[in-house]
Amino acid sequence: MTDPNETPQAEKLNFPGRHQALSSDSKDHHVCEKWKNYSIRSPYVKFMLESMKKLGCEVNIEKQLICEPCSGKVLGGFDSRSSQIVLCENTIYSPGCMKDVLTHELIHAYDHCRAHVDWQNIKHLACSEIRAASLSGDCFFWKENLARFNFGLKKHHQECVKERAIKSILCVMDVDENEAKNAVESVFDSCFADTEPFDRIPP
């Protein structure tokens, strides 16, 4: 999941932001669909959709990219039980935000297809969150206003990825911060180095 502060939260068997009791606002829904259709033409989103197709997990835009209201402040999430990406029509606030959310969640969907992730396994969860934060743009240096000048660019990117992955785990798993940190550290090097389907961390 991702929240309005662009902090991705973790995925599990069912996207916890989905709330059937929430009613959809027709205006929000229309805007969400408009921004979704705009975003699927962006280079990163288009590349991720093509990569999913190559894996044999082609995304049905109408049935698997779903605009609906969400509880809390999340922007979106991957519902692994239904293989749907939920786009939170009541919190996504711009076309650029929509593009970032789609890219982030498509990385989770890619991992689910490629690696058969057990979202209840803290190390699996940590690995996918590390990859999503690193590859989706969550931690691209021009989006980060704090501590940017305290680290070199590579150092800052890694620290940002770790911080966001830890916060993600804490959002959905009943673990303390030390457990989350240990999980992230235990898989960080291999998962950070895994840039599939990109050749490298996108610029």
Side-chain angles (χ1 to χ4, degrees):
M1 288 181 292
T2 41
D3 72 18
N5 295 318
E6 298 186 51
T7 301
Q9 300 176 13
E11 316 308 320
K12 56 181 181 179
L13 287 176
N14 187 30
F15 167 47
R18 301 193 93 165
H19 199 297
Q20 298 300 320
L22 293 176
S23 59
S24 179
D25 179 276
S26 59
K27 182 179 179 181
D28 286 346
H29 187 78
H30 174 76
V31 171
C32 181
E33 289 287 344
K34 179 181 177 181
W35 288 347
K36 177 185 78 174
N37 291 329
Y38 166 80
S39 295
I40 61 176
R41 298 192 296 270
S42 71
Y44 286 168
V45 173
K46 189 174 180 179
F47 176 75
M48 287 304 304
L49 292 171
E50 291 172 351
S51 298
M52 290 286 292
K53 184 176 181 179
K54 289 178 182 178
L55 277 183
C57 295
E58 184 173 3
V59 176
N60 184 310
I61 302 300
E62 296 304 317
K63 294 182 178 180
Q64 290 179 275
L65 303 184
I66 308 298
C67 284
E68 63 181 48
C70 304
S71 59
K73 297 180 179 181
V74 295
L75 295 171
F78 174 62
D79 186 337
S80 60
R81 187 167 60 188
S82 62
S83 294
Q84 291 179 323
I85 289 174
V86 180
L87 305 167
C88 298
E89 61 189 44
N90 55 325
T91 53
I92 290 178
Y93 52 84
S94 71
C97 174
M98 173 67 80
K99 177 177 65 66
D100 290 347
V101 171
L102 263 177
T103 305
H104 180 104
E105 301 307 336
L106 280 166
I107 290 168
H108 287 315
Y110 183 91
D111 286 349
H112 187 71
C113 176
R114 176 186 69 154
H116 307 291
V117 178
D118 176 1
W119 297 107
Q120 293 181 321
N121 181 311
I122 191 171
K123 290 186 177 181
H124 288 200
L125 188 61
C127 189
S128 190
E129 288 297 347
I130 288 165
R131 282 175 34 77
S134 180
L135 301 174
S136 70
D138 290 347
C139 287
F140 289 177
F141 76 95
W142 57 81
K143 292 185 177 181
E144 297 296 321
N145 296 316
L146 299 176
R148 183 165 70 175
F149 302 107
N150 294 335
F151 304 102
L153 182 57
K154 183 177 180 180
K155 173 71 172 177
H156 172 61
H157 182 76
Q158 292 179 349
E159 292 300 320
C160 173
V161 169
K162 287 181 180 181
E163 178 182 344
R164 288 172 183 267
I166 290 166
K167 288 180 178 179
S168 296
I169 293 169
L170 292 174
C171 285
V172 295
M173 297 195 94
D174 186 20
V175 296
D176 62 31
E177 188 170 354
N178 283 334
E179 289 177 277
K181 284 181 178 179
N182 288 339
V184 169
E185 291 292 347
S186 70
V187 299
F188 186 80
D189 289 343
S190 61
C191 297
F192 185 78
D194 179 5
T195 61
E196 289 290 336
F198 299 95
D199 293 329
R200 57 187 175 84
I201 296 173

